Amino acid sequence: MVTIPLTTDFFTNNDSCMRDFIRFIIKYHFAILFLIIEVVSLLLVVNYNAYQRSTFLSSANAVTGGILKRYNTGSEYLMLREINEDLARENAYLRSRLPESYRASKDYFNMVHDSLNMQEYVYRSARVINNSTNRRFNYVTLNKGRLNGIEPEMGVISNKGAVGIVKNVSNHYATVISIINTRLKISAKLKESDFFGSLEWDGTSYQHVSLLDIPRHAKVNVGDLVVTSGYSSIFPEDIQLGSVESVKLDKGASFYRIKVKLSVDFKNLAFVEVIGHTSRDEQIKLEKETEDD
């Protein structure tokens, strides 16, 4: 059993508090008495008058409703992460069902183990748990890995456009080389004219990249959309990359200098989708055999 020693200071402090309380009651006793009478009078009026009672209950309901509304708003805010994760998974599923994710099979004479439409791209949702924008070699870390079907050299996109390419994978995590990485080049094209080139980052603004190798006879305008060309085994065609912000053609130059504003804001990146190309290995193998011939 623990005993608390009672010292003189203990009693002195209690006596002081009690004196202060009594002094407060004496000083404000008229105001306190007035408030008590007001509350009692209000209760009597509400209890014995139907109109006042209904008015009071309506006001109380309005106040209670306002409090509950704010409580529900706070609860919904706390649930936003879970809701966003559900939406990201649903978006990945729906994107996998789009016609662009399938390719038509022309082998009509061998349909036992195949179908007329073969799924070419599969999308898996993931959440960004780390991201850098102020380095020359920026990367993004995802909360999904090998056990979730993520593999190196898979494309990564958000609802705004392309993000980067998966570099390394563990069982539960994956790192992505983002577009704002000086080591990454992406095959891109002008959506209006289909002229294609290479999209590269120069290491300065995280919002801008350069589109290279667009010939001078191509028609380029400020505001033109820049998308993936589809000339790789990583990204499907027409994934948005950004829009042309400025166009320059130096005297005697064969190619434009095109500045592109990225569609993805890398400082506001929360959920992404990882693209799996089901025929990628077959394509790479065939292209390698052709290069070795």
Side-chain angles (χ1 to χ4, degrees), residues 27-258:
K27 184 176 181 180
Y28 297 104
H29 69 281
F30 286 114
I32 295 172
L33 181 62
F34 174 77
L35 289 175
I36 293 173
I37 294 174
E38 283 289 315
V39 171
V40 172
S41 300
L42 180 61
L43 292 175
L44 291 174
V45 170
V46 170
N47 284 330
Y48 293 100
N49 295 274
Y51 175 77
Q52 283 81 359
R53 182 165 60 252
S54 63
T55 303
F56 174 79
L57 291 176
S58 298
S59 301
N61 288 338
V63 173
T64 304
I67 295 173
L68 291 176
K69 182 179 180 180
R70 287 176 174 78
Y71 173 78
N72 289 332
T73 301
S75 299
E76 289 175 358
Y77 177 79
L78 295 175
M79 294 173 62
L80 280 178
R81 172 173 290 183
E82 182 178 351
I83 294 172
N84 286 334
E85 289 180 350
D86 291 339
L87 289 175
R89 285 192 291 269
E90 183 176 356
N91 285 339
Y93 171 77
L94 293 176
R95 197 185 295 272
S96 296
R97 310 306 298 174
L98 288 174
E100 292 82 359
S101 298
Y102 290 79
R103 60 184 173 89
S105 172
K106 297 180 181 180
D107 188 7
Y108 296 107
F109 300 100
N110 184 15
M111 297 175 55
V112 177
H113 300 293
D114 201 353
S115 63
L116 294 179
N117 292 298
M118 299 175 60
Q119 187 164 9
E120 191 167 11
Y121 295 100
V122 178
Y123 295 79
R124 298 174 175 87
S125 65
R127 182 163 57 87
V128 174
I129 58 175
N130 195 12
N131 184 16
S132 64
T133 60
N134 57 354
R135 308 173 183 174
R136 290 187 62 82
F137 310 124
N138 292 301
Y139 67 94
V140 177
T141 304
L142 307 181
N143 71 333
K144 299 288 181 65
R146 188 177 296 107
L147 296 180
N148 306 104
I150 310 299
E151 297 177 0
E153 299 189 12
M154 281 185 169
V156 180
I157 63 174
S158 73
N159 60 339
K160 298 292 182 63
V163 172
I165 299 174
V166 175
K167 176 63 176 176
N168 296 313
V169 178
S170 66
N171 284 339
H172 302 97
Y173 301 98
T175 54
V176 178
I177 299 179
S178 65
I179 290 178
I180 51 173
N181 188 310
T182 55
R183 293 175 176 169
L184 185 64
K185 297 181 181 180
I186 293 179
S187 179
K189 70 176 183 179
L190 297 166
K191 186 174 178 61
E192 296 297 325
S193 62
D194 280 339
F195 281 95
F196 70 94
S198 178
L199 197 78
E200 300 181 17
W201 187 54
D202 62 4
T204 53
S205 169
Y206 75 93
Q207 294 179 309
H208 298 91
V209 292
S210 299
L211 180 59
L212 308 177
D213 303 328
I214 301 298
R216 63 180 301 150
H217 63 271
K219 185 178 180 181
V220 187
N221 297 309
V222 172
D224 285 351
L225 287 179
V226 179
V227 297
T228 55
S229 66
Y231 297 155
S232 74
S233 59
I234 297 176
F235 289 103
E237 187 179 7
D238 289 337
I239 298 294
Q240 187 167 335
L241 293 165
S243 59
V244 175
E245 186 168 277
S246 66
V247 184
K248 294 182 180 179
L249 183 61
D250 296 331
K251 186 177 181 180
S254 300
F255 301 97
Y256 287 104
R257 286 196 293 137
I258 302 176

Side-chain angles (χ1 to χ4, degrees), residues 253-290:
S254 300
F255 301 97
Y256 287 104
R257 286 196 293 137
I258 302 176
K259 185 179 182 180
V260 177
K261 181 175 176 58
L262 290 172
S263 57
V264 173
D265 185 353
F266 281 87
K267 284 188 177 291
N268 185 24
L269 193 62
F271 293 93
V272 296
E273 295 169 21
V274 183
I275 306 172
H277 186 184
T278 59
S279 305
R280 180 175 179 275
D281 292 340
E282 179 183 351
Q283 179 181 342
I284 291 176
K285 181 180 179 181
L286 181 61
E287 291 174 348
K288 189 174 185 307
E289 290 175 355
T290 303

